[in-house]
């Protein structure tokens, strides 16, 4: 019989503790807006939360521009989104503040598993690696993608990279494109790049590194505010932070 993983066991134990005070809450269906780069984390944690709490999570993963549109035009109960969403005044007004930081992660470069590992350890090395690559997978229509494009600009290669870039429609497609050989490099958040069929060449050099923070808040007009807050509280438990760490992000 297959033994449950340490992460799964810890998640279940953590949920028992985290949700012990929720016995009197009625089961709710929660609509969650989430950054695409949180897909692996939330897909791992959501079933555990649902099983222990009785609540149901309907999670919509998307890029920052689309999350801003949805927050300002559609009903939802909470968000676990890039902090850039809250830089938009209209979107920010639809959340109850303060926000709670859930995870953060930096940027890096990946290659197909078994391929030669390029040097990305310095700005000059990264610049050469990017210029030498015939193709690069990226999700430009996102907060993370916008930062990557700004790094291309800082390296003085923005124009050259336009012809090399293969835009993807979701974060998950970046690693898939690299694993299939459709793109030689993946350039994005490190946790997104760590996937079957790929290898991490390395993080951006310190001079160009920046971490994207994913933060959570309850929707201002949610009718399930207590249940929404319970999910946010769970994302900060030791069990949940273990999953966040295992999947390539830093909690908090």
């Amino acid at each position: 019989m297959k033994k449950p993983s340490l992460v799964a066991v810890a998640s279940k134990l953590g949920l028992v503790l985290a949700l012990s005070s929720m016995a009197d809450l009625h089961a709710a269906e929660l609509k969650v807006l989430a950054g695409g780069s949180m897909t692996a984390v939330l897909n791992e944690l959501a079933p555990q939360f649902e099983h222990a709490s009785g609540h149901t999570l309907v999670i919509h993963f998307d890029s920052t521009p689309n999350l801003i549109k949805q927050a300002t035009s559609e009903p939802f109960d909470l968000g676990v989104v890039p902090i850039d969403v809250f830089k938009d005044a209209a979107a920010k007004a639809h959340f109850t503040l303060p926000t709670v930081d859930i995870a953060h992660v930096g940027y890096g470069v990946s290659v197909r598993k078994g391929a030669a590992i390029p040097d990305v350890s310095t700005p000059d090395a990264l610049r050469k690696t990017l210029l030498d690559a015939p193709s690069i997978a990226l999700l430009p229509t996102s907060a993370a993608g916008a930062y990557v494009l700004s790094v291309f600009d800082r390296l003085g290669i923005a124009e050259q990279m336009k012809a090399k870039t293969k835009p993807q429609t979701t974060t998950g497609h970046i690693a898939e494109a690299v694993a299939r050989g459709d793109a030689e490099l993946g350039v994005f958040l490190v946790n997104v790049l760590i996937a079957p069929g790929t290898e991490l060449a390395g993080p951006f050099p310190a001079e160009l590194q920046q971490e994207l923070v994913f933060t959570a808040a309850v929707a201002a007009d949610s009718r399930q505010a207590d249940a929404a807050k319970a999910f946010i509280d769970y994302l900060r438990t030791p069990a949940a932070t273990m999953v966040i760490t295992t999947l390539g992000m830093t909690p908090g």
Side-chain angles (χ1 to χ4, degrees):
M1 180 182 295
K2 185 178 179 181
K3 294 182 178 180
S5 69
L6 178 61
V7 169
V9 171
S11 294
K12 291 177 182 178
L13 290 175
L15 272 167
V16 171
L17 295 174
L19 302 175
S20 60
S21 63
M22 291 177 54
D24 294 332
L25 289 181
H26 296 294
E29 181 178 276
L30 300 175
K31 182 175 180 181
V32 184
L33 300 182
S37 297
M38 290 293 293
T39 300
V41 168
L42 294 185
N43 280 348
E44 176 78 20
L45 294 175
Q48 304 294 341
F49 176 82
E50 290 178 328
H51 177 73
S53 68
H55 300 314
T56 301
L57 300 174
V58 180
I59 306 176
H60 179 77
F61 297 101
D62 219 321
S63 63
T64 295
N66 288 335
L67 291 170
I68 289 172
K69 291 178 183 177
Q70 287 152 3
T72 56
S73 62
E74 300 176 12
F76 68 101
D77 295 293
L78 73 142
V80 186
V81 298
I83 198 167
D84 301 70
V85 169
F86 294 92
K87 295 177 182 178
D88 183 275
K92 184 177 179 180
H94 285 265
F95 289 90
T96 298
L97 304 180
T99 62
V100 178
D101 291 345
I102 301 301
H104 55 277
V105 63
Y107 296 80
V109 178
S110 68
V111 296
R112 188 177 187 180
K113 191 172 182 63
I117 302 297
D119 185 4
V120 296
S121 61
T122 67
D124 284 345
L126 176 61
R127 183 178 189 276
K128 182 178 186 306
T129 291
L130 293 171
L131 288 174
D132 288 347
S135 56
I136 293 168
L138 173 65
L139 178 59
T141 57
S142 65
Y147 181 73
V148 172
L149 295 178
S150 76
V151 169
F152 293 165
D153 189 55
R154 288 171 64 183
L155 292 172
I157 58 173
E159 285 301 315
Q160 297 96 312
M161 299 309 296
K162 288 180 180 178
K164 298 171 179 282
T165 299
K166 292 195 169 184
Q168 305 298 309
T169 56
T170 70
T171 56
H173 288 163
I174 296 173
E176 291 174 4
V178 175
R180 289 194 305 266
D182 293 342
E184 183 168 325
L185 301 179
V187 186
F188 209 68
L189 296 170
V190 168
N191 68 307
V192 171
L193 301 178
I194 301 173
T198 70
E199 291 186 65
L200 188 67
F204 280 8
E207 299 93 327
L208 299 172
Q209 188 59 272
Q210 176 175 292
E211 291 194 313
L212 180 59
V213 177
F214 291 85
T215 192
V218 177
D221 58 356
S222 172
R223 296 182 179 180
Q224 309 290 348
D226 288 342
K229 184 178 184 301
F231 182 56
I232 293 173
D233 288 342
Y234 170 60
L235 294 177
R236 302 180 71 195
T237 63
T241 58
M242 180 186 292
V243 172
I244 290 169
T245 301
T246 300
L247 294 177
M249 305 181 84
T250 302

